[in-house]
Amino acid sequence: MGILERLGSTPLRLAGFAAMALLMHPAAPKAQGGAPPAPTVVVAAPVAKRIIQWDEYTGRFEAVAQVEVRARVSGFVDSVNFKDGQTIKQGDLLFTIDPRPFELAVEAARAEVERSNAQVSLAELEVERAEGLTRNQTITQRDVDTRRSNLSVARAGQASAEANLKNAQLNLEWTQVRAPIAGRISDRRVSPGNLVSGGSSNSTLLTTIVSLDPIHFLFEASEADYLRYTRLAAPGTWSSVRANPFPVQVRLADETEWKREGKMDFVDNALNARSSTIRGRAIFDNADLLLTPGTFGRMRLFGGEFDAILIPDAATVSDQTRKIVFTVGPDNKVVPKPVTLGPIVDGLRVIRTGLTAQDKVIIQGLANPMVRPGVTVTPQPGEIKPATN
């Protein structure tokens, strides 16, 4: 190849290299056209509403009355007259203890009463005769006094015999063990043919009975709650006159509605020094016998009425140990406000302190990472609606 040809091909190669260099190293980008738009959030004023405060407690149902049925007399069990776990009435026959030894004791005691009656009658005749003979001075006054003393001894023996008869009859009556209360009975602890002991602290346990209707609900409240309720119950502090100052409602673990209503009937006389709690008790009707002693439940206690501010629970965020609500200020900048939370009412969170009814609370848009304290946002109006029952 000649020199001209080699020189003529060089510009073409240089042009190709320049084109490739432009493709591999584009020119510098154009200057940005300005700041990004402000993030959009939805804001709404809190709901101002007068609400009833209910304080919730976990507790356990307990029978109003619980009885351990024990034998009062010793003997062999003749029969068991109930089915384990059945509902019984007061006075129902539960166990029968062999009555024959006690029937014999009654007959012996009755015979002793008749003998003592005869002795009293004889002593009365002796006294009557002695008083007649003293008028004729046939016997001395000493003899009269002796016969009167014998009459007193006979009457004392008569009273003792009558008491022994009543005791024997009572023991015979106790051979029929009857239900002292109405309720549900447990299983039998002894079977027919067994020897049971009675009449002492070591008497044989036969079974147990618990009452069912009404039924108690026991729970423990904190010292702060106790002080608040004590002040709430003071004269002149109620916002309205109520027939039941402290109504309560309860629901079971598988229930979602508060359908069972009762009332407080007892508060203990001292706080527990270790837990700083006080024991309380409510009473409920149990006509359907569904509430069983020992069952756990959730109870809520009327805590008064007050004006409250409510917002969606999702509008609150956590900042270490504090709860914060983001609001929008007059200059459309995000303003965080520490708040104190209350219970959930009508699906909304009660704000005890930190907000006013005029604040613009951010209810949507908090997930945007651009929404931070001090950032300018574009607020759009929204609405907070309580949940409808």
Side-chain angles (χ1 to χ4, degrees), residues 291-313:
L291 305 177
T292 304
T295 304
F296 279 100
R298 188 72 177 169
M299 188 198 78
R300 64 179 188 177
L301 174 62
F302 175 78
E305 297 182 7
F306 61 95
D307 295 324
I309 290 178
L310 300 92
I311 64 172
D313 194 38

Side-chain angles (χ1 to χ4, degrees), residues 30-305:
K30 297 181 180 180
Q32 296 183 354
T40 301
V41 296
V42 178
V43 299
V47 175
K49 182 180 179 182
R50 187 166 185 82
I51 64 171
I52 296 177
Q53 177 175 337
W54 295 91
D55 298 321
E56 296 189 11
Y57 301 94
T58 299
R60 187 190 294 270
F61 289 98
E62 185 177 277
V64 173
Q66 180 173 350
V67 176
E68 293 183 342
V69 180
R70 297 181 182 271
R72 294 189 175 185
V73 293
S74 300
F76 288 91
V77 177
D78 264 0
S79 62
V80 179
N81 304 286
F82 66 91
K83 293 182 178 180
D84 295 346
Q86 78 175 68
T87 302
I88 59 173
K89 298 178 181 179
Q90 185 177 5
D92 285 352
L93 180 62
L94 305 179
F95 296 88
T96 301
I97 297 174
D98 186 3
R100 291 173 296 178
F102 302 94
E103 291 172 347
L104 295 175
V106 169
E107 293 178 2
R110 186 175 288 115
E112 184 64 25
V113 168
E114 293 178 357
R115 188 179 69 83
S116 63
N117 290 339
Q119 290 178 343
V120 168
S121 298
L122 178 60
E124 288 175 345
L125 291 175
E126 291 290 339
V127 170
E128 184 178 353
R129 290 170 185 164
E131 289 176 346
L133 293 174
T134 54
R135 299 188 188 96
N136 301 329
Q137 296 182 350
T138 305
I139 61 175
T140 63
Q141 185 63 38
R142 178 186 179 86
D143 293 334
V144 175
D145 293 340
T146 300
R147 294 184 182 185
R148 286 176 178 174
S149 176
N150 292 338
L151 175 59
S152 297
V153 172
R155 286 176 175 172
Q158 182 187 39
S160 177
E162 291 175 349
N164 289 335
L165 174 60
K166 291 179 181 179
N167 184 63
Q169 291 173 335
L170 186 59
N171 287 334
L172 177 60
E173 180 183 342
W174 283 342
T175 60
Q176 294 185 344
V177 182
R178 298 184 177 273
I181 61 172
R184 179 168 287 125
I185 196 168
S186 182
D187 60 335
R188 68 193 72 184
R189 306 298 171 84
V190 295
S191 300
N194 284 295
L195 176 64
V196 297
S197 61
S200 68
S201 58
N202 297 322
S203 297
T204 304
L205 176 63
L206 304 179
T207 187
T208 59
I209 305 173
V210 293
S211 63
L212 296 176
D213 185 23
I215 192 169
H216 281 149
F217 184 86
L218 271 69
F219 65 98
E220 291 192 355
S222 66
E223 182 178 355
D225 287 345
Y226 170 72
L227 294 175
R228 178 163 56 86
Y229 279 109
T230 301
R231 291 191 175 95
L232 187 63
T237 58
W238 286 97
S239 59
S240 61
V241 179
R242 298 177 181 274
N244 184 0
F246 289 104
V248 294
Q249 298 173 343
V250 73
R251 60 181 174 86
L252 302 179
D254 61 344
E255 295 176 340
T256 58
E257 298 181 359
W258 305 89
K259 294 183 178 180
R260 303 178 184 274
E261 297 185 355
K263 60 182 180 180
M264 290 291 299
D265 73 333
F266 167 77
V267 176
D268 210 348
N269 58 359
L271 276 78
N272 188 310
R274 294 184 177 180
S275 62
S276 294
T277 58
I278 191 166
R279 188 165 56 99
R281 189 181 70 196
I283 190 167
F284 292 86
D285 292 330
N286 190 27
D288 58 358
L289 305 184
L290 177 63
L291 305 177
T292 304
T295 304
F296 279 100
R298 188 72 177 169
M299 188 198 78
R300 64 179 188 177
L301 174 62
F302 175 78
E305 297 182 7

Side-chain angles (χ1 to χ4, degrees), residues 4-28:
L4 292 176
E5 291 178 356
R6 290 196 300 269
L7 292 176
S9 62
T10 300
L12 294 176
R13 291 182 180 181
L14 292 176
F17 290 152
M20 293 178 62
L22 289 174
L23 292 175
M24 296 177 63
H25 302 282

